[in-house]
Amino acid sequence: MLKAIVTDMDGTLLAPGDHILPETKQKLLELEKQGVTLILASGRSYTRLLPYARELELEKYGGYLIEVDGISLYDVQAGQREVLRRMDPSEIREVYTDLMHLNCEAQACFDDGFFFYFDEDIRRRKEALRKERNIPEDFPWTAGPWDWLADLRGGYPNQTFVTSADQITRPINKIQLMQDEDRIREIYAFLIRKYGDRFEIFRTCPRQLEILPKGYSKGHTLKRLMDMKGWNRDEVAAFGDGENDVSMFEEVDASFAMGNARDFIKEYAKYETASNADNGIVKGLERLGC
């Protein structure tokens, strides 16, 4: 019997445009009413997850948030947040300094903001896009997971451009960095070689990579929650599309890679389902008889 569903957000629960498809929402609410616990697992912090939690009525039905790829667990009904790990600025100084010389946009994130840096080459690219799209002057210069220009102020209102890692002055949840897909692969290979024994490093989508404290992942925190709730492997279904979702796949029997996931992610899941634009979660649950 299914007792819980854990789903990634971007590229999984969220369709293009950052919304939940009506059929997917209806199915998840239906299962929550039957007693199934819903867990939203994301690289986002609670500030960017709570609107979706409210839409899916997690407070009413007792759902959870696995935040920032597993460094925090949020009980939505109780309104209680347990932060498991953060990184001190001194821990990330070396790797952030390297990122500043790797031609990418690097964002060192805390709960409601981030420190960020990009070089002059990226600035010129952004300037050209702003002119081409006739973007107003007050629109942010920051990148998002899908574009060189993205307004992240809804979840990260406090944004500070830095020119040195020494300007990062508070504990950090994660580092996220953006570049085009080919360059991300090169940066990933470099980071794994140099820092793989000190940090968790994941490709979360084709043009985004994230750096987390060593030993922490979505799967690590999912296992913690499963032990706390007494759920067995065969009682939880997991859905995802990124490398940071693989750790969840390893903790459950019913693991689903979205149709839009890269092939190397699909290899880790037991099943493949339809894409996030085609109600992939609903079709996966139907395969389980839900």
Side-chain angles (χ1 to χ4, degrees), residues 215-227:
Y216 289 82
S217 65
K218 291 182 183 181
H220 171 273
T221 303
L222 174 61
K223 182 63 165 60
R224 181 188 184 96
L225 180 59
M226 289 168 65
D227 290 344

Side-chain angles (χ1 to χ4, degrees), residues 63-81:
Y64 291 84
L65 309 177
I66 293 176
E67 301 175 56
V68 197
D69 292 323
I71 70 154
S72 180
L73 181 65
Y74 194 111
D75 181 335
V76 181
Q77 190 171 59
Q80 295 179 344
R81 185 182 191 225

Side-chain angles (χ1 to χ4, degrees), residues 177-191:
L177 58 106
M178 292 80 166
Q179 238 303 358
D180 294 330
E181 186 172 0
D182 289 345
R183 180 62 181 146
I184 279 288
R185 284 196 289 265
E186 296 172 357
I187 295 171
Y188 174 79
F190 168 78
L191 292 174

Side-chain angles (χ1 to χ4, degrees), residues 13 151 194 234:
L13 176 63
D151 190 350
K194 187 169 181 179
D234 61 352

Side-chain angles (χ1 to χ4, degrees), residues 4-256:
I5 299 164
V6 56
T7 175
D8 170 55
M9 296 294 290
D10 296 279
T12 302
L13 176 63
L14 300 181
D18 273 6
H19 68 282
I20 304 170
L21 295 175
E23 187 177 341
T24 296
K25 178 180 176 179
Q26 180 182 345
K27 170 59 73 173
L28 293 175
L29 286 170
E30 173 188 312
L31 290 172
E32 286 183 281
K33 291 173 184 176
Q34 295 173 14
V36 176
T37 300
L38 182 58
I39 307 152
L40 308 183
S42 176
R44 303 181 183 214
S45 69
Y46 74 99
T47 57
R48 299 181 66 206
L49 291 175
L50 283 176
Y52 300 105
R54 296 186 186 104
E55 182 179 355
L56 293 167
E57 302 185 37
L58 267 64
E59 183 176 6
K60 178 178 180 180
Y61 294 111
Y64 291 84
L65 309 177
I66 293 176
E67 301 175 56
V68 197
D69 292 323
I71 70 154
S72 180
L73 181 65
Y74 194 111
D75 181 335
V76 181
Q77 190 171 59
Q80 295 179 344
R81 185 182 191 225
E82 182 182 8
V83 178
L84 307 174
R85 177 76 156 85
R86 285 194 175 102
M87 296 181 288
D88 187 83
S90 62
E91 288 182 80
I92 66 166
R93 190 167 294 131
E94 182 184 357
V95 66
Y96 197 88
T97 300
D98 273 345
L99 295 177
M100 293 174 74
H101 295 89
L102 289 175
N103 187 225
C104 62
E105 180 167 334
Q107 301 172 353
C109 304
F110 46 95
D111 287 347
D112 62 351
F114 52 73
F115 302 91
F116 70 104
Y117 172 82
F118 51 79
D119 61 22
E120 285 304 310
D121 174 68
I122 292 175
R123 181 179 292 277
R124 285 190 291 271
R125 298 176 69 173
K126 290 174 181 281
E127 287 174 345
L129 286 172
R130 294 174 76 91
K131 184 176 181 180
E132 175 187 323
R133 300 174 185 176
N134 197 28
I135 290 175
E137 289 185 7
D138 62 348
F139 192 89
W141 282 80
T142 47
W146 312 107
D147 199 345
W148 276 116
L149 295 170
D151 190 350
L152 304 178
R153 291 174 295 183
Y156 293 124
N158 300 309
Q159 303 176 11
T160 303
F161 186 83
V162 297
T163 56
S164 166
D166 292 334
Q167 294 172 266
I168 298 173
T169 56
R170 60 186 296 173
I172 294 301
N173 295 333
K174 67 173 181 176
I175 299 172
Q176 58 189 24
L177 58 106
M178 292 80 166
Q179 238 303 358
D180 294 330
E181 186 172 0
D182 289 345
R183 180 62 181 146
I184 279 288
R185 284 196 289 265
E186 296 172 357
I187 295 171
Y188 174 79
F190 168 78
L191 292 174
I192 287 291
R193 286 195 305 271
K194 187 169 181 179
Y195 295 105
D197 62 339
R198 293 160 57 182
F199 299 100
E200 300 293 344
I201 303 168
F202 305 108
R203 289 166 289 185
T204 54
C205 66
R207 63 183 314 276
Q208 180 170 297
L209 187 154
E210 298 189 352
I211 301 171
L212 278 294
K214 190 67 178 178
Y216 289 82
S217 65
K218 291 182 183 181
H220 171 273
T221 303
L222 174 61
K223 182 63 165 60
R224 181 188 184 96
L225 180 59
M226 289 168 65
D227 290 344
M228 185 174 72
K229 304 292 283 188
W231 297 329
N232 297 320
R233 293 180 56 91
D234 61 352
E235 295 173 320
V236 182
F239 294 83
D241 75 305
E243 195 166 25
N244 58 338
D245 300 317
V246 170
S247 61
M248 298 196 301
F249 296 166
E250 294 170 345
E251 299 298 338
V252 304
D253 290 344
S255 57
F256 291 85

